[in-house]
Amino acid sequence: MALATFLSNEMRLNYSRQSGFTLLEVLVALVIVGTALGASLRAVGSLTQNSNDLRVSLMATWSAENSLAQIRLSRQWPPLGDSGFECNQADLHLQCEQHVIATPNPSFRRVEVQVFENNKPDRRIIKLTQVVPNAL
């Protein structure tokens, strides 16, 4: 019976020592969770930036298409040369540059529209080109 009591006490001591996590294990778990959360935040930030860039690109495309549609609908022969004008969309401040260039066929002119952000004038967002026939 004494042996059984000794073994029972020894098992209780071993059980009580292993019933929780050590401080080191908790710290390692916190580092792992913190690293995973940091990577998640970085991914969410990247998705947000990509979403904003896509929005800017879409708005710039609309501005360029609007400019080219205006030329088509006016049915006027665009004069050769360059021009710049604001082509804002919603709260986005954009600058459009239009270049009208002669083609080898004198009955057509090439019209290029480039769109830039006002706060980043060196970065072209989009460039669209269309050939316009002489309506006269």
Side-chain angles (χ1 to χ4, degrees):
M1 181 97 168
L3 182 60
T5 306
F6 174 74
L7 287 176
S8 175
N9 287 341
E10 186 65 31
M11 290 170 81
R12 272 189 245 147
L13 286 174
N14 284 340
Y15 179 73
S16 65
R17 277 192 214 134
Q18 297 178 0
S19 65
F21 295 106
T22 64
L23 180 60
L24 183 60
E25 290 170 333
V26 170
L27 290 175
V28 168
L30 284 175
V31 167
I32 292 170
V33 169
T35 303
L37 286 175
S40 298
L41 287 175
R42 184 177 298 156
V44 168
S46 177
L47 288 174
T48 302
Q49 182 62 36
N50 288 343
S51 173
N52 188 45
D53 290 345
L54 183 60
R55 177 182 168 273
V56 169
S57 178
L58 178 66
M59 297 286 194
T61 302
W62 286 348
S63 292
E65 287 178 349
N66 287 345
S67 177
L68 293 175
Q70 188 175 10
I71 291 171
R72 278 192 312 267
L73 293 174
S74 71
R75 296 183 185 260
Q76 292 180 0
W77 188 239
L80 294 174
D82 300 336
S83 62
F85 51 93
E86 287 189 5
C87 51
N88 300 330
Q89 291 285 335
D91 62 341
L92 192 61
H93 301 287
L94 300 172
Q95 184 70 26
C96 289
E97 291 182 4
Q98 179 176 301
H99 307 284
V100 180
I101 305 163
T103 62
N105 184 338
S107 298
F108 295 96
R109 290 200 173 147
R110 186 174 78 196
V111 180
E112 297 177 348
V113 177
Q114 301 180 66
V115 182
F116 304 86
E117 267 189 278
N118 279 352
N119 58 354
K120 298 177 189 173
D122 294 340
R123 182 180 165 259
R124 181 177 67 201
I125 300 170
I126 191 165
K127 176 182 176 182
L128 294 182
T129 303
Q130 120 179 335
V131 176
V132 178
N134 187 354
L136 300 176

